[in-house]
Amino acid sequence: GLPMNTSKTPQKSLTRCRGMTLVEILVALLVLSIGLLGLAALQNTSLRFNTGAYYRTQATALAYDLTDRMRANREAALDGAYTVALQDPPPACNAIALDLGSVAEQDLAAWRNALACRIPQSTGAVETNGNEFTITVTWDSNLEDDDDFLGFEMTTAL
């Protein structure tokens, strides 16, 4: 058979397989933490974009809701009863006094309250030009920065 030198083989293998050093472990932890920070930033951006899409969806649905209310009360709408300017500061979510005044005033109060309840720091306006109505919804897209407002605008004819 083959001669085996058993006295040197175990010593060589023990000196080569000592395990990972502390520097290798720290580098691995650094790479892992950078990856986790990147993942957290990606999650934050995704959440922000999802929230923005939700607000745009709500603004669209509420603009169509007001359009349906104006079509149901067409004569008052054509007379300018639904024309209203943007409020500054935006109204708060408050269901009090929604059933006071004319049908148009009730519709506008309910619409503005729905805006305030569904989209934080939002307000709406309605402008008229003959039988064309422009409905505008604006909201603060970043509540920490006062200059960053987004909006949705829709024009329809009655």
Side-chain angles (χ1 to χ4, degrees):
L2 293 173
M4 291 181 64
N5 190 353
T6 56
S7 62
K8 291 184 181 180
T9 306
Q11 247 180 348
K12 276 187 177 180
S13 67
L14 286 178
T15 56
R16 275 191 287 178
C17 299
R18 289 188 184 166
M20 300 178 80
T21 65
L22 186 60
V23 173
E24 289 172 330
I25 292 173
L26 289 176
V27 168
L29 281 175
L30 178 68
V31 169
L32 179 67
S33 28
I34 289 173
L36 289 177
L37 283 174
L39 186 63
L42 180 68
Q43 180 69 19
N44 187 26
T45 303
S46 173
L47 182 63
R48 201 166 10 105
F49 286 146
N50 244 358
T51 304
Y54 171 76
Y55 290 161
R56 280 190 293 280
T57 302
Q58 292 299 315
T60 304
L62 289 169
Y64 278 102
D65 174 59
L66 184 62
T67 302
D68 289 341
R69 290 172 186 256
M70 290 190 305
R71 285 194 176 108
N73 196 6
R74 189 172 190 271
E75 292 301 318
L78 291 174
D79 289 340
Y82 284 88
T83 302
V84 65
L86 291 173
Q87 284 182 329
D88 190 34
C93 178
N94 185 3
I96 298 173
L98 291 182
D99 51 346
L100 299 176
S102 67
V103 172
E105 290 170 344
Q106 291 175 18
D107 287 345
L108 285 172
W111 179 64
R112 281 193 157 166
N113 186 57
L115 279 174
C117 292
R118 292 187 191 176
I119 307 172
Q121 297 294 311
S122 67
T123 186
V126 180
E127 297 174 0
T128 183
N129 185 10
N131 72 336
E132 282 192 359
F133 292 85
T134 302
I135 300 171
T136 305
V137 177
T138 62
W139 64 92
D140 190 356
S141 66
N142 185 0
L143 297 177
E144 293 91 24
D145 186 9
D146 291 335
D147 298 333
D148 200 12
F149 280 88
L150 291 179
F152 170 80
E153 189 173 281
M154 180 185 93
T155 302
T156 187
L158 291 185

